[in-house]
Amino acid sequence: MSKEKIINEKSLEFLEKYLNNPSPTGYEWEGQKIWMDYVKPFVDEFITDTYGTAVGVINPDAKYRVVIEGHSDEISWYVNYITDEGLLYVIRNGGSDHQIAPSKWVDIHTKNGIVKGVFGWPAIHTRNKAKEEPPKLDNIFIDIGAKDKEEVEKMGVHVGCVITYPDQFQILNKDKFVCRALDNRMGGYMIAEVARLLKENKKELPFGLYITNSVQEEIGLRGAEMITQTIKPNVAIVTDVCHDTTTPMINKKTEGETKIGDGPVISYAPAVQNKLRERILETAESNKIPFQRNASSRYTGTDTDAFAYSNGGVASALISLPLRYMHTTVETVHKDDVENVIRLIYETLLNIKEGETFSYFD
């Protein structure tokens, strides 16, 4: 595939709509419908499961099966406790960051629609300057403008309501995409674009391709764990985000060095099948796609782990999109990296032959 731009006006419009829609862990289905509607012209059929994972399938009758995968959920909060004064205390749904909460607007999802709220915080004038309390899970709280607990309940808010941030997609300095939930709505976007390019370029694959948008990654890779048992793939190429470690207060000696704008990040980890990873590296080099490397110690912490260790072992690899400010509302990626991840997955698929085992013993 040539170096021309991949992201077009229609695909950017889809990305913005897809990112702006809330899709908290356990409540992903509206986002999945947006994704499926976009992917529908590029696939032969869909598979969905009881928890909401969506899979677009090309060549569903083929016995040899290849997965390309991202996850659709975003971090969020649950209402955990309502005070007599009508304030809400929360617990995490995924890895929500307590330090960014104060002064943020929130959307509380109820049966009657969205109830707005704010994470309140004591004014600077009232705090003990000698011993300031940092934001912690047990001291952050949400104010929805209710005078007491009874009014909260009349507004339709109860323990168990899920809470998201309303921050919307923006472009920073022409080529940086900024939003909450780029982790990992970008993955779903990138695999959808791979499907589009295969269709537009009239590529015939010698295997079944399962474009998989999993749920519940943020609480333990659960959606991938479920859907891999249904698909039973031979190969899985997973895409997620990883850290740009070049911003302040990150230790490169422990976190490694990866940077937005420098290309897709290819992982080394026990769950990553070495022959498949080498195929990806060779594909990047032969197509002059820039890339970076990252090492993980015991696990990747992504859906790669769920696919790799399923069904007696599935040849799996991880291609990551470098991202700044993970699990904040201003997650930031570089447009060039997005296009190069798409390009790398696309070209790698064209380099996989039907029946390959990637065995170390062949």
Side-chain angles (χ1 to χ4, degrees), residues 96-231:
S96 299
D97 189 345
H98 51 280
Q99 291 210 25
I100 69 157
S103 84
K104 292 296 298 181
W105 280 91
V106 295
D107 287 343
I108 303 168
H109 299 257
T110 78
K111 285 184 179 177
N112 304 321
I114 297 294
V115 172
K116 290 284 184 183
V118 294
F119 270 111
W121 195 244
I124 188 170
H125 321 68
T126 68
R127 302 199 300 262
N128 182 342
K129 311 297 185 296
K131 191 182 176 184
E132 283 202 307
E133 281 262 16
K136 296 182 293 189
L137 195 59
D138 63 3
N139 68 12
I140 57 173
F141 62 91
I142 292 172
D143 188 335
I144 62 171
K147 67 179 185 294
D148 54 28
K149 184 175 183 178
E150 185 180 359
E151 189 173 4
V152 169
E153 290 167 349
K154 280 182 182 172
M155 293 168 75
V157 175
H158 55 76
V159 169
C161 282
V162 73
I163 303 157
T164 57
Y165 293 115
D167 299 72
Q168 303 273 292
F169 175 73
Q170 295 190 66
I171 297 177
L172 184 67
N173 194 23
K174 299 178 184 174
D175 57 8
K176 315 300 186 305
F177 296 160
V178 179
C179 197
R180 52 161 243 299
L182 297 190
D183 173 14
N184 181 35
R185 219 73 54 80
M186 289 308 306
Y189 172 73
M190 292 186 296
I191 60 174
E193 291 299 273
V194 171
R196 174 176 69 83
L197 292 170
L198 289 168
K199 185 75 170 182
E200 288 179 358
N201 296 334
K202 299 181 172 58
K203 296 295 182 182
E204 297 287 334
L205 297 173
F207 47 76
L209 182 64
Y210 290 72
I211 301 117
T212 304
N213 206 10
S214 297
V215 297
Q216 298 197 24
E217 187 273 349
E218 294 290 355
I219 49 89
L221 323 181
R222 298 308 187 187
E225 187 180 296
M226 290 183 275
I227 201 65
T228 187
Q229 308 300 336
T230 301
I231 299 171

Side-chain angles (χ1 to χ4, degrees), residues 22-23 66 79 102 125 142 159 173 176 220 258 263 267 271 332-333 339:
S23 197
V66 177
V79 176
H125 321 68
I142 292 172
V159 169
N173 194 23
K176 315 300 186 305
T258 45
S267 280
T332 303
V333 298
E339 293 197 327

Side-chain angles (χ1 to χ4, degrees), residues 215-254:
V215 297
Q216 298 197 24
E217 187 273 349
E218 294 290 355
I219 49 89
L221 323 181
R222 298 308 187 187
E225 187 180 296
M226 290 183 275
I227 201 65
T228 187
Q229 308 300 336
T230 301
I231 299 171
K232 293 186 165 44
N234 300 91
V235 175
I237 297 171
V238 173
T239 185
D240 206 326
V241 295
C242 66
H243 302 288
D244 176 329
T245 63
T246 66
T247 55
M249 298 190 293
I250 298 176
N251 185 344
K252 297 187 188 73
K253 290 178 183 176
T254 55

